[in-house]
Amino acid sequence: MTDTPYVVDQMISAKSIAARIEALAREIRAEFKDTDQLVVVGLLRGSFVFIADLVRELGEMSVEVDFLEASSYGMGMESSREVRILKDLRSGIEGRDVLVVEDIVDTGHTLHHVTGLLKSRLPHKLKTIALLDKPTRREVDFKADWTGFEIPDEFVVGYGIDYAQRNRNLPFIGKVRFIQEG
Ligand code: 5GP
Ligand code: MG
């Protein structure tokens, strides 16, 4: 499958992403205007470009950046998916204001699990932001507090998001289209 040739068709331009992040950052600054120091938690690895652009739009706000890596894997049936924490936060978040940054909400299992875990550590406030949302794919009830773009059920890459570890460095979001040879 990874050897099948494909092209990436642009779906969301770099310019649209930048404009959307500017608007989202304004809302986030308003939400956390009384926060002493916000803990921005990026979910590795897909969110690394998004988090880099987002924190630079937060302007004067004092932010701490931390990362968490979760992996989900099928246990036979998709709907019984388990989520494992591969890399945990460095910082404690008890009593802190936390913003979790994800690339895509798909089935919802990852953010459902991660927010459950982080809530058990008793943060003062916990909010979530996802660049992309595929609402038609949802298996568990989860909605991010902020979403960049709703997209259809297509496999996307770029802007930090990979296909077999490639295409993370594309500046736009595109969808993978397999092509026939010959
Ligand atoms: P879920 O919400 O199903 O638990 O998982 C979300 C994760 O699935 C995302 O963080 C991302 O890693 C992965 N994912 C979902 N849709 C796509 C996609 O279109 N492309 C890529 N590369 N990963 C995706
Ligand atoms: Mg991910």
Side-chain angles (χ1 to χ4, degrees), residues 57-69:
E57 284 296 330
L58 294 179
E60 305 288 278
M61 265 183 75
S62 171
V63 300
E64 203 174 305
V65 176
D66 205 339
F67 293 97
L68 189 145
E69 185 171 9

Side-chain angles (χ1 to χ4, degrees), residues 12 16 25 27 39 43 59-60 64-65 69 71 75 78-79 99 110 114 118 133 147 158 161 163 167 182:
I12 308 169
S16 310
E27 294 181 26
V39 185
L43 296 199
E60 305 288 278
E64 203 174 305
V65 176
E69 185 171 9
S71 96
M75 294 288 290
E78 283 266 304
S79 55
L99 176 66
T110 305
V114 167
L118 296 184
D133 188 2
T147 297
I161 302 164
Y163 172 49
N167 305 119

Side-chain angles (χ1 to χ4, degrees), residues 39 41 66-68 87-93 98 118 121:
V39 185
V41 172
D66 205 339
F67 293 97
L68 189 145
K87 184 211 170 292
D88 206 341
L89 297 178
R90 295 284 292 268
S91 324
I93 56 165
V98 179
L118 296 184
R121 298 176 183 177

Side-chain angles (χ1 to χ4, degrees), residues 7-174:
V7 292
V8 178
D9 296 324
Q10 179 171 297
M11 188 187 239
I12 308 169
S13 71
K15 229 176 166 172
S16 310
I17 297 170
R20 186 71 186 118
I21 290 177
E22 223 183 290
L24 290 166
R26 226 174 291 131
E27 294 181 26
I28 289 165
R29 284 199 303 264
E31 175 67 35
F32 293 105
K33 64 182 186 315
D34 300 321
T35 300
D36 179 38
Q37 182 158 276
L38 179 66
V39 185
V40 178
V41 172
L43 296 199
L44 293 172
R45 285 175 261 179
S47 73
F48 83 103
V49 175
F50 181 34
I51 200 174
D53 282 345
L54 184 65
V55 296
R56 284 180 291 178
E57 284 296 330
L58 294 179
E60 305 288 278
M61 265 183 75
S62 171
V63 300
E64 203 174 305
V65 176
D66 205 339
F67 293 97
L68 189 145
E69 185 171 9
S71 96
S72 53
Y73 54 98
M75 294 288 290
M77 288 190 38
E78 283 266 304
S79 55
S80 64
R81 287 213 295 171
E82 260 179 65
V83 178
R84 280 186 305 160
I85 301 300
L86 301 180
K87 184 211 170 292
D88 206 341
L89 297 178
R90 295 284 292 268
S91 324
I93 56 165
E94 187 174 345
R96 311 282 307 274
D97 285 358
V98 179
L99 176 66
V100 178
V101 182
E102 171 65 312
D103 53 356
I104 309 176
V105 186
D106 187 37
T107 64
H109 287 287
T110 305
L111 273 183
H112 178 77
H113 179 89
V114 167
T115 54
L117 173 73
L118 296 184
K119 272 180 198 159
S120 74
R121 298 176 183 177
L122 307 177
H124 171 251
K125 192 190 268 189
L126 182 74
K127 297 280 180 186
T128 51
I129 181 168
L131 180 66
L132 304 174
D133 188 2
K134 297 180 184 175
T136 61
R137 292 264 306 158
R138 209 66 96 248
E139 292 174 10
V140 289
D141 187 28
F142 183 87
K143 196 165 183 350
D145 295 291
W146 295 279
T147 297
F149 303 89
E150 279 195 5
I151 60 168
D153 181 13
E154 302 273 8
F155 191 82
V156 296
V157 294
Y159 199 73
I161 302 164
D162 75 304
Y163 172 49
Q165 298 307 325
R166 293 175 62 181
N167 305 119
R168 290 192 197 274
N169 53 325
L170 291 175
F172 56 86
I173 298 284

